[in-house]
Amino acid sequence: MRIGVDSEVCEAHGQCSIVDMDLFPLDDDGYSAVGPDREVPEGEEDTAKLGVDACPVRALKVLS
Amino acid sequence: MTVPGIDSVDLTTPSASADPFSVFRALREGDPVHWSEAHRAWLITRYDDVSAAFQNKAFSNDRVRPVLERKRQAGAESAATGVLGLMTGWMVVNDPPVHTRLRKLAAGAFKGQRIAAMDEMITRIVDEHLDAFLRGSGPQDLISEVAYPLPATVIATMLGAPPEDRDRFREWSDELALVAFGTGGAARADRHERALRGLREMESYFHTLIGKRRAEPGEDMLSALMAKEGDDRLTDDELVGMCALLLFAGHETTTNSIANSVLALLRHPDQLDRLRRDPALIGPAVEELLRFDGPIKVLNRWVVAETEVRGKTIRPGERVHLVLASANRDPEKFADPDTLDLGRSPNPHVAFGKGIHACIGAQLARMETRIAVARIVERLPGLALAEEPEWKDVLASRSMEKLVVTHS
Ligand code: HEM
Ligand code: SF4
């Protein structure tokens, strides 16, 4: 599974990072540092989905 | 710029507590960055400004230490400085790097909790309270019977406290609020003293619980909080502070989130019907209820460096109030902001704050509010308001005294 953030859309709500700060790191200003395409470690797919859903502005996507 | 009526704005009068939203509208439109004499603070009411303030390093969360230092300089070492000492260690009143370390350690413990197990535990506790509620008849207070006891019981359970001790968590939570926010009136000094004694008891209770978990770790969150992160871990005193913070931050907020949600649904029967017809809407519905009438009206920040917001100069030593409840009704951000639309999406409300301090318990709070509201709506089909609720005259929270309802 791969996830990514659209940094044009991210507004630094930090809700993704509350779900899991390792899967959804933030930069120093609170914006998502997930990057455009990141691999989700095996076994963490459900958490990744929760984090993607937690974003109030839908900046995060499951890519595959 | 001045607008009639705005100059004397006071958010803690009964009329402003009953309907803060029209005051917020006037401020947003007339003077969105407003110096309030009544509050001796800046009121920031537009979404964009509140949102930017969360990232502005001129605004600090380090609010308790200065008070404590003043008290200590005045030579007053007392029970009060003891409790303030405990609170100074809370991540929510610290800036980086102290905040960063505590937040990381706490986030690790939240992450370790199993969602399915939490879901089951919360549903069981909600249903127990609703069983008792359904046995009663006539008008009953949904806050004292359901919304108030629920979150304290959930936190006590998550920390692994034995069931028979759970009632004491509620008392401690009330006592923490009393010391943190103070109360008015003649009973004040007396109640304050009693609260401080109660909190000493709380500290020794948590120390004992920590001792037990160190000897015999469990699946609970306290055991998870003890775990090492790399080569760092929380000390026993820090663990006591963390337990107290989780109780304090997660109790009244969640109570009000449930109660305000139920009230909003009762006032919007079309939306209540919509939720009854489509229970799967509960996720976005709770986000909208948090936006529409969330539990926190105002967050505080201290100003530590000169900064400018919308052309106004804000200076070190001043205080800033970020009015979340106003930002969440800003028409520049939300179409028809005064309309409750349970399907609203996207819904970037700031009821949980934003940035580095954004509510670390948000997932738990969402789960509690979703389960409680869904179960109330499902199990009390005849739910109706029995009397007009009264709002507490407090600045920080949006909180009713009682929510008296009938269910058949
Ligand atoms: C609907 C209920 C809740 C709401 C609306 C809420 C809201 C908030 C807000 C706005 C903040 C940011 C404070 C700031 O920026 O100064 C915050 C922080 C915090 N909340 Fe919540 N909260 C809720 C429930 C909970 C629960 C259930 C817990 C834990 C059991 C919790 C624990 C915390 C903690 C520990 C912080 C401090 C985080 C930090 O400083 O990094 N909250 N909450
Ligand atoms: S929740 Fe969405 S908006 Fe917030 S930081 Fe994560 S990606 Fe960005």
Side-chain angles (χ1 to χ4, degrees), chain A residues 11-15 17-23 26-31 44 47 50 54 56-58, chain B residues 47 55 57 103-104 107 111 115 333 345-350 352-355 358-360 362-363 366:
Chain A
E11 293 181 356
H13 286 276
Q15 296 292 323
S17 165
I18 289 164
V19 174
D20 192 317
M21 69 197 291
D22 299 317
L23 278 177
L26 302 179
D27 68 17
D28 286 349
D29 296 318
Y31 290 87
E44 301 197 21
T47 317
L50 272 178
V57 292
R58 307 223 179 121
Chain B
Y47 185 96
Q55 335 274 33
K57 295 190 174 56
R103 172 109 186 176
K104 200 168 166 48
K111 187 181 156 177
I115 306 275
K333 187 72 184 179
S345 173
N347 196 343
H349 67 75
V350 285
F352 288 119
K354 196 170 164 174
C359 181
I360 199 171
Q363 287 301 99
R366 288 192 162 101

